[in-house]
Amino acid sequence: MSENTIIAPSILSADFAKIGDEIKRMEIAGADWIHCDVMDGIFVPNITFGPKMIKDIRKLTNLPLDVHLMIVDPIRYVEQFAKSGADYISIHIEATEKVEETLKKIKDLGCKCGAVISPQTPVSALEKYVPMCDLALIMSVHPGFGGQKFIESSLHKVSELNRIIKIVNPNCILEIDGGITENNIEDVKRNGARAIVAGSAIFGSKDPASTIGKMRS
Ligand code: DX5
Ligand code: ZN
């Protein structure tokens, strides 16, 4: 597997009324994945969109769709997201008591599975799921909104998780999400993050291609 950095623009910062243009804009700018934030207004204090949006985006692009579920009891919906064309489906370990069961179901549905921790959750709580994950995601802001400031203590968590991944499952992709900019991406990459989610930094850029290029190199 190539060790290149994966840049995943988060459409939370896109104009939802022009989603087709926004996805194309990211594709042309060189995005590797499209990160889709699903929020239910209960696990997080914001509401975004559901499987229908993923299904419609699926028709617009061949880029992998990285679906980040911020919803309680995600097992209820993983089948709908898989059928809608998600490639990666990630769930918060704080959102369910059925973490293993849900991850397994995502795999059985033919998708790649990911486990996510919010800033208040230690890496030790995530560790036991790493062997069965294709993706492990550290939130570097409190989930719910784009445009927040990067929480510096996330860097230690990235390096701790990177050590664990190297030992127990080197194929698992370490992803980071929240507050990433051209200015701090070097630090997160140095600590071991491979997939980088960025919303406001990319969608808010005057030149997304240049921003993505700088973030990747
Ligand atoms: C926050 C979302 C993020 C968000 C990142 O809950 O999971 O994906 O869109 O946005 P920025 O990059 O602006 O922090
Ligand atoms: Zn996200």
Side-chain angles (χ1 to χ4, degrees):
M1 181 185 280
S2 132
E3 289 303 315
N4 294 343
T5 297
I6 295 159
I7 304 293
S10 163
I11 58 163
L12 186 60
S13 294
D15 182 339
F16 285 9
K18 299 180 185 153
I19 197 64
D21 296 342
E22 295 282 65
I23 300 282
K24 274 287 160 264
R25 191 156 76 91
M26 290 304 125
E27 218 173 78
I28 292 163
D32 297 294
W33 294 355
I34 299 293
H35 184 83
C36 306
D37 289 304
V38 175
M39 304 185 186
D40 66 355
I42 299 171
F43 181 69
V44 287
N46 194 6
I47 299 176
T48 55
F49 49 77
K52 173 69 162 58
M53 179 76 145
I54 304 302
K55 194 175 170 197
D56 291 348
I57 292 174
R58 179 73 291 163
K59 294 179 224 156
L60 299 169
T61 181
N62 291 321
L63 290 178
L65 300 183
D66 176 29
V67 177
H68 175 193
L69 297 182
M70 284 159 274
I71 65 177
V72 292
D73 293 330
I75 199 160
R76 298 172 298 145
Y77 285 100
V78 291
E79 185 166 359
Q80 283 192 51
F81 283 103
K83 285 188 174 152
S84 299
D87 293 280
Y88 289 83
I89 300 178
S90 299
I91 59 157
H92 273 260
I93 69 168
E94 306 92 353
T96 176
E97 286 178 355
K98 299 177 186 163
V99 177
E100 278 192 42
E101 200 186 321
T102 310
L103 292 170
K104 192 172 174 303
K105 185 163 180 186
I106 294 169
K107 296 290 281 182
D108 290 346
L109 287 160
C111 295
K112 301 224 161 64
C113 71
V116 192
I117 51 171
S118 290
Q120 74 277 7
T121 306
V123 170
S124 56
L126 178 66
E127 192 171 353
K128 59 176 175 290
Y129 306 114
V130 171
M132 62 186 299
C133 282
D134 300 292
L135 194 75
L137 169 53
I138 295 209
M139 288 302 299
S140 41
V141 298
H142 292 283
F145 300 93
Q148 302 178 73
K149 192 175 174 304
F150 182 81
I151 298 171
E152 288 295 329
S153 55
S154 314
L155 288 176
H156 299 286
K157 292 172 82 176
V158 170
S159 94
E160 188 184 351
L161 179 58
N162 188 36
R163 271 200 304 278
I164 293 165
I165 284 178
K166 277 188 173 148
I167 297 165
V168 305
N169 183 7
N171 289 325
C172 178
I173 296 173
L174 202 172
E175 185 173 48
I176 185 155
D177 181 4
I180 312 289
T181 66
E182 281 177 40
N183 299 326
N184 60 16
I185 193 163
E186 205 48 57
D187 288 341
V188 301
K189 287 206 273 190
R190 196 178 327 111
N191 281 276
R194 177 154 170 245
I196 313 287
V197 178
S200 46
I202 297 178
F203 278 94
S205 167
K206 283 204 179 79
D207 185 353
S210 145
T211 302
I212 289 176
K214 282 185 201 149
M215 286 182 145
R216 190 184 286 107
S217 64

